[in-house]
């Protein structure tokens, strides 16, 4: 198999010195300030029916540095400041193309603390990374090696709400080899009782990472709520404790999804999933927490980029396809399928597990799409019938 070149980000933790932490904190603040100033300028121009591009905001940045009020912008590296203007330009590009909403201002407390450096803003030699305006390299924990001969093109430094420091190195990995082709294909039905149900009959339990730490999280949040409002030390400690619990939940969930998606990609040539509108489904207040904890969108995202890397195919079946009500043996469509019915018997005499049957139907229609062409979409359910998506969104959290 011929190796392909893909861009990959390798994320590591590091422990900054006091001087480095202070420099990075100043940089984060300046990045946020420049972004907000440029957004305000572009918003005012938009009200006058004028457009301001990146070059104009870059010239504004030069003028801001010369003022007495914003002279502190010259104390940090100019590279992250220019990069945040490029990010703002990208946000407006997506807005004008109707792919995103209008850009919002960054909050000091709620926005992500990060700064992006291009090659002119860092030095990477002999496994040591030194950022601009710093004398010493970062103390990085190299949990895994970078690709052989790879040199980072972009470095992003960030600090999460739990106080942990991360550095992400974007490299070109030329060693990604497509996996050997196989005839195996699988249909995947996501759920809440079981995270995944495969067309092979296997059911993968839902670990419910959020529910495991729910008691500790509620206790930490109650303590935070009792702290005096403001920026006091006790409130910061309580807020960080809540953030650490959230970080632990997120890390466990992401680790489990990585292992699960890697296994599916390695074992199957074709993976068929359902095209769910998770953003709409989480509007159901009784299910929002459970759906968010299951992380169906993140599961699909991981599955798709890993399949692209390793020569696999992911097919998303139309969300209105009645996978639960269709008999996978004879093709008979049931008129109704109440939510409490987890097993049912078709007129042909076949007894189905609801989720396994849905996964098998997804697999069948997904394989039909590959034969008929990528533009073919499965038939929608009848107007009086309930779609599989709506049925999932109506379930109560156990």
């Amino acid at each position: 198999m011929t190796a392909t070149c893909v861009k990959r980000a390798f994320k590591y933790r590091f422990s900054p010195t006091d001087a480095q932490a202070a420099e990075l904190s100043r940089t984060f603040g300046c990045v946020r300030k420049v972004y907000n100033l440029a957004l305000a300028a572009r918003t005012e121009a938009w009200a006058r029916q004028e457009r301001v591009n990146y070059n104009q905001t870059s010239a504004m940045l030069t003028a801001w540095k010369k003022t007495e009020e914003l002279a502190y912008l010259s104390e940090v590296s100019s590279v992250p400041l220019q990069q945040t203007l490029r990010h703002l330009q990208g946000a407006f590009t997506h807005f004008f193309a109707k792919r995103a909403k209008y850009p919002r201002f960054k909050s000091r407390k709620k926005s992500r603390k990060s700064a992006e450096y291009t090659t002119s803003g860092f030095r990477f030699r002999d496994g040591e990374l030194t950022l601009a305006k710093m004398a010493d390299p970062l103390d990085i924990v190299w949990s895994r090696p970078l690709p052989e001969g790879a040199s980072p093109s972009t470095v992003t430094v960030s600090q999460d709400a739990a106080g942990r420091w991360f550095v992400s190195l974007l490299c070109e990995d030329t060693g990604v080899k497509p996996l050997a082709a196989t005839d195996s294909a699988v249909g995947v039905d996501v759920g809440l009782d079981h995270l995944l149900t495969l067309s092979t009959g296997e059911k993968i339990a839902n670990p419910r990472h959020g529910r495991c730490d729910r008691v500790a999280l509620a206790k930490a949040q109650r303590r935070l709520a009792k702290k005096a409002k403001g920026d006091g030390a006790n409130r910061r400690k309580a807020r960080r404790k809540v953030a650490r619990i959230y970080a632990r939940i997120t890390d466990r969930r992401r680790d489990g999804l990585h292992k699960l998606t890697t296994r599916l990609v390695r074992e199957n040539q074709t993976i068929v999933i359902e095209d769910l509108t998770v953003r709409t489904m989480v509007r159901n207040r009784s299910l929002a927490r459970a759906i968010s904890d299951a992380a169906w969108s993140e599961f699909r995202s991981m599955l798709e980029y890993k399949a692209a890397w390793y020569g696999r195919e992911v097919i998303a079946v139309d969300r209105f396809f009645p996978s639960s009500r269709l008999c996978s043996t004879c093709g008979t469509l049931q008129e109704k399928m109440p939510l409490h019915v987890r097993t049912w018997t078709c007129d042909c005499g076949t007894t189905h597990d609801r989720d396994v049957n849905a996964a098998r139907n997804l697999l069948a229609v997904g394989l039909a799409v590959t034969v008929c062409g990528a533009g073919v979409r499965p038939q929608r359910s009848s107007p009086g019938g309930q779609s599989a998506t709506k049925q999932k969104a109506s379930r109560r959290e156990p």
Side-chain angles (χ1 to χ4, degrees), residues 30-69:
C30 292
V31 166
R32 183 178 62 252
K33 182 67 174 178
V34 169
Y35 185 94
N36 289 341
L37 287 173
L39 178 55
R42 297 186 69 149
T43 301
E44 293 173 1
W46 175 259
R48 299 191 303 267
Q49 297 184 347
E50 299 176 1
R51 286 195 180 185
V52 176
N53 57 26
Y54 163 75
N55 292 331
Q56 291 170 296
T57 55
S58 181
M60 291 178 186
L61 175 59
T62 303
W64 292 334
K65 290 181 179 180
K66 296 179 180 179
T67 63
E68 183 178 353
E69 182 183 1

Side-chain angles (χ1 to χ4, degrees), residues 7-10 146 151-156 168-172:
K7 286 190 175 183
R8 299 181 62 180
F10 295 82
L146 290 175
S151 180
S153 58
T154 303
V155 170
T156 303
S168 179
L169 287 75
L170 182 64
C171 305
E172 287 190 354

